[in-house]
Amino acid sequence: MCRFLLYKSNSPILLADLLTRPAHSIIMQSFNCKLLINKHQTMNGDGFGIGWYDEPRTKGCIFTSTLPAWSNVNLQRLAEKIKSKLVFAHVRATTGGTATSESNCHPWQYGNLMWMHNGNIGGFERIKRQMQASLSEEIYLAIQGTTDSEHAFAVFLNMLDDPLGRKEFSHDELRRAMLATIEQINRWLDQAGVKETSLLNFAVTDGQTVVCTRYITNSELEGASLFYSSGSEFSNEEESGRYRMIKANKREDVVVVASEPLTYEKSDWMPIPTNTLLVITPRLNVRMYPIVDQYWNAHRGRKKPAQQIAC
């Protein structure tokens, strides 16, 4: 399906140190995924997008293209020049027959908020009209593309008070809106009698707080892969040139979340449990909350090796 990564730090990083240079960078993941369930969809070549913020409480910038990330010269040039403390990046593989167009490339933006998604809403075409009907006129008119992901963003925006006019939101407010979005999507799917599994790995930020989820509408299977790493600095070692998360002290100055680890240092990366919401606060505290609903299973995967869906 897709791959995404997000980076938040106290110090800006050159985009190339996330997007192009690491051994398993998101550019490498666009054509060389390691965690696959759909063996017939091995490429994430239906466009890409990067989003970043220059300063807190200011609107971020987004660059998208329908070209594959690995062959876009402008992406390579920008990555060697742009630095940011907060970065979103996404490589796309289309689902549900949606068109390859810039309006369908992640991430999307509304005011200070930025959103991306890895996965799919199963049976989206059966609840699309309900999703649209639930929206305020302003948010409905802001939808530019045709994807389930952008419609999920619109539903999320509809859960917030004045999402366009405000420059910041509390992490608790964004967390509650994310949970309400998932709950509402599940309600519509249940009402429509949809049996197809949905994979809802969402990520949203206002430029200061980040909220993301690893979620599946199934109580037995593992969700689409999602990992995080934290430490004092994400950089390359001088002698070997290999990238890794450096832990020079007990402080967390950097947090990276990615569909697949960017490096082959297994000790640097922790899997986010299935059906869990992760919050990165403005002060870089990492908090995880179980999403306890009809698909929550505290014993998931304990009795036998769990089947994992990576997309």
Side-chain angles (χ1 to χ4, degrees):
M1 289 182 183
C2 304
R3 289 292 186 276
F4 72 54
L5 76 82
L6 62 89
Y7 170 95
K8 179 172 170 57
S9 174
N10 286 324
S11 302
I13 191 171
L14 187 68
L15 264 57
D17 288 327
L18 290 173
L19 307 183
T20 62
R21 295 177 182 173
H24 197 49
S25 69
I26 196 166
I27 302 300
M28 290 293 293
Q29 292 176 36
S30 66
F31 64 88
N32 186 27
C33 300
K34 299 299 183 183
L35 300 174
L36 283 175
I37 189 66
N38 185 353
K39 302 300 183 181
H40 300 291
Q41 192 177 45
T42 60
M43 298 287 188
N44 296 287
D46 297 317
F48 70 88
I50 54 173
W52 68 94
Y53 292 81
D54 291 327
E55 296 292 340
R57 302 179 184 85
T58 61
K59 189 174 182 179
C61 184
I62 289 178
F63 170 57
T64 58
S65 173
T66 57
L67 291 175
W70 64 79
S71 65
N72 192 289
V73 176
N74 286 328
L75 175 59
Q76 304 282 341
R77 292 168 177 163
L78 289 171
E80 293 293 338
K81 295 296 182 181
I82 296 172
K83 293 184 177 182
S84 178
K85 297 178 182 179
L86 203 162
V87 180
F88 270 30
H90 187 281
V91 291
R92 183 173 183 249
T94 59
T95 59
T98 54
T100 300
S101 64
E102 287 192 7
S103 61
N104 283 340
C105 288
H106 314 224
W108 291 277
Q109 191 173 38
Y110 190 82
N112 271 33
L113 293 160
M114 198 176 291
W115 172 279
M116 58 186 176
H117 173 207
N118 175 29
N120 70 300
I121 298 177
F124 167 62
E125 67 284 350
R126 296 173 61 182
I127 67 168
K128 182 177 180 179
R129 292 189 66 179
Q130 287 176 283
M131 295 176 79
Q132 293 176 341
S134 73
L135 304 174
S136 69
E137 184 75 3
E138 187 177 43
I139 292 173
Y140 171 75
L141 292 175
I143 298 174
Q144 299 295 312
T146 59
T147 65
D148 53 354
S149 305
E150 189 183 10
H151 280 74
F153 182 30
V155 173
F156 172 84
L157 293 171
N158 214 58
M159 301 293 179
L160 296 171
D161 179 32
D162 191 20
L164 185 61
R166 296 168 60 187
K167 294 184 178 181
E168 61 183 322
F169 302 80
S170 71
H171 58 81
D172 190 54
E173 187 176 8
L174 293 179
R175 178 180 65 87
R176 291 197 308 267
M178 181 68 81
L179 292 173
T181 299
I182 292 174
E183 181 181 5
Q184 182 61 72
I185 289 172
N186 281 337
R187 186 177 300 117
W188 285 324
L189 292 172
D190 290 344
Q191 291 171 353
V194 173
K195 302 301 182 184
E196 184 181 347
T197 297
S198 295
L199 299 164
L200 307 180
N201 284 18
F202 294 140
V204 69
T205 184
D206 63 350
Q208 298 185 86
T209 295
V210 175
V211 173
C212 58
T213 59
R214 182 186 182 196
Y215 186 88
I216 184 173
T217 57
N218 186 293
S219 61
E220 300 298 328
L221 299 178
E222 294 284 356
S225 56
L226 196 63
F227 298 81
Y228 85 96
S229 182
S230 62
S232 55
E233 183 182 6
F234 183 75
S235 64
N236 61 330
E237 298 174 331
E238 291 185 6
E239 294 184 1
S240 65
R242 295 181 303 176
Y243 282 79
R244 67 168 306 167
M245 185 63 74
I246 298 170
K247 302 179 185 293
N249 51 55
K250 294 183 179 180
R251 293 178 54 188
E252 289 186 338
D253 293 318
V254 179
V255 181
V256 182
V257 178
S259 299
E260 295 189 21
L262 304 185
T263 70
Y264 296 121
E265 300 289 342
K266 292 184 178 180
S267 60
D268 287 349
W269 298 90
M270 294 291 292
I272 297 172
T274 293
N275 286 28
T276 295
L277 180 147
L278 181 142
V279 173
I280 308 171
T281 71
R283 295 187 177 183
L284 287 165
N285 297 314
V286 177
R287 303 175 182 178
M288 286 194 281
Y289 303 86
I291 303 175
V292 182
D293 59 11
Q294 66 267 42
Y295 300 113
W296 171 252
N297 181 358
H299 304 288
R300 189 189 308 261
R302 290 186 182 179
K303 294 182 179 179
K304 57 182 180 181
Q307 181 180 348
Q308 173 168 288
I309 296 179
C311 43

